[in-house]
Amino acid sequence: QAQLVESGGGLVQAGGSLRLSCLPSGFAFRLYVGWFRQPPGKEREFVGTISWSGGRTVYADSVKGRFTISRDNAKNTVYLQMSSLKPEDTALYYCATTSRGQFATSRSQYDYWGEGTQVTVSS
């Protein structure tokens, strides 16, 4: 079954850092790999996306300068490095992949998803 697998979530204090990983299982990443998050009681929102081949990235304003998406083609892995974390970053973080659009920011444009990894930032 084709799916993405996220890992690396956990509990961290405000100001701390975490690195999330995303790997495909049973298929290959498509052209773009995106990260989304869903805070408690809220809608799933765009965090950022990366071009799997070229490595260009696009970020939501809320995380720009604090989060970095990168990829390791040899390890077939995409990372979300999160720094200067705030309590409002607390959410279930998902990765997703698509061949549609260019640096899509809408969840509806992504075809494959993981089950998410929980990030909790304490104040």
Side-chain angles (χ1 to χ4, degrees), residues 20-42:
L20 307 183
S21 301
C22 174
L23 287 85
S25 175
F27 74 118
F29 279 130
R30 299 300 189 249
L31 294 179
Y32 301 95
V33 181
W35 286 95
F36 289 76
R37 66 185 182 185
Q38 188 161 12
K42 297 185 178 180

Side-chain angles (χ1 to χ4, degrees), residues 61-115:
D61 288 343
S62 59
V63 306
K64 213 173 282 184
R66 299 189 299 122
F67 290 12
T68 302
I69 300 175
S70 62
R71 93 273 195 230
D72 186 328
N73 298 80
K75 294 184 178 180
N76 203 30
T77 302
V78 171
Y79 302 100
L80 176 64
Q81 177 68 49
M82 305 183 293
S83 303
S84 302
L85 282 162
K86 306 173 183 180
E88 51 264 44
D89 294 317
T90 294
L92 188 59
Y93 282 73
Y94 299 88
C95 66
T97 192
T98 184
S99 291
R100 297 186 281 158
Q102 281 194 335
F103 301 98
T105 60
S106 170
R107 55 185 287 192
S108 65
Q109 292 181 281
Y110 286 81
D111 300 309
Y112 298 93
W113 290 82
E115 295 186 348

